[in-house]
Amino acid sequence: MAQAQGTHQQARTVTTEDHGKLNIRSLVLLAILLAAGFILNFTLGRAISSVTGGMISPEFIISAFCLTIFVVRPKVPQALIIGLISAAVIQLTTTSPGVDFIAESIAAMLMAIIVRAGMRTSARKAIPLVGSFVTTVVSGVIFMIIRIAMVGAAQQLAAAMLPVVFATGAFNAILVAALYVPICKALKVQPFQAE
């Protein structure tokens, strides 16, 4: 059978961003970033903390899950899973076992809400900076409130921890904002694409 002239059709390919799915690729990204965060907490984190007299105590695990949530853009229940996995890793180094399960779970879900809402706005290029700052501060404040409930000394503990929480929030925000675009490019994901 001869094909009629001019009726030859080519297949069309449609590509879409793979946002909102917590699949193997997303879990591998989380694992890599958490491993890097864990190593950085032990090395660079401790060095920065000692140089600043404890005023800045970067929590690279929070940076890792913030970056994962920015790239993957999971739904809130999936972000809860990311927060729980992150908290499990933090248990290896924490001074307050169990507290991070609450703090990081809430913070990760908050991050997912910020990303999903913020990436729909014209201010989406500020979301890595703002979202990471807010998420880190919320995590730190939750951690602080639980520690106060556990040990008391509310005034002293709050006075000691709040400056560290805010300084760490600023540090993590700058770090996440600086790494977001390079990580997206490495993964061939379009950064700042609207939801």
Side-chain angles (χ1 to χ4, degrees):
M1 216 166 20
Q3 189 172 15
Q5 224 175 0
T7 61
H8 179 69
Q9 293 181 347
Q10 288 186 334
R12 287 184 358 176
T13 304
V14 178
T15 58
T16 61
E17 290 293 324
D18 189 20
H19 289 300
K21 294 182 181 176
L22 199 56
N23 54 22
I24 296 297
R25 180 180 178 196
S26 302
L27 292 173
V28 168
L29 172 64
L30 177 62
I32 291 168
L33 291 175
L34 287 177
F38 183 76
I39 292 166
L40 287 170
N41 276 351
F42 267 118
T43 56
L44 186 59
R46 288 187 178 179
I48 291 170
S49 184
S50 72
V51 166
T52 63
M55 284 304 294
I56 299 176
S57 298
E59 181 51 73
F60 292 103
I61 300 293
I62 296 174
S63 298
F65 79 69
C66 286
L67 278 165
T68 300
I69 291 170
F70 278 123
V71 173
V72 176
R73 298 189 196 169
K75 293 178 174 80
V76 173
Q78 295 165 330
L80 172 61
I81 294 167
I82 291 171
L84 290 171
I85 293 169
S86 301
V89 172
I90 291 173
Q91 296 310 293
L92 300 171
T93 61
T94 190
T95 56
S96 300
V99 175
D100 291 294
F101 283 104
I102 297 167
E104 306 325 334
S105 297
I106 293 169
M109 291 187 296
L110 174 63
M111 177 60 90
I113 292 167
I114 291 170
V115 170
R116 287 195 162 269
M119 294 308 267
R120 293 182 178 129
T121 70
S122 59
R124 63 180 158 265
K125 289 193 175 183
I127 297 303
L129 186 75
V130 174
S132 297
F133 177 77
V134 170
T135 297
T136 303
V137 168
V138 166
S139 171
V141 168
I142 291 169
F143 184 91
M144 179 188 72
I145 289 169
I146 294 170
R147 287 284 295 156
I148 288 170
M150 290 168 60
V151 300
Q155 253 184 337
Q156 296 88 344
L157 202 51
M161 287 186 74
L162 276 176
V164 175
V165 166
F166 280 92
T168 302
F171 182 90
N172 280 359
I174 293 166
L175 179 66
V176 170
L179 292 176
Y180 175 62
V181 172
I183 287 175
C184 283
K185 287 184 179 182
L187 295 172
K188 297 183 171 114
V189 173
Q190 185 65 38
F192 304 114
Q193 183 178 21
E195 280 289 307

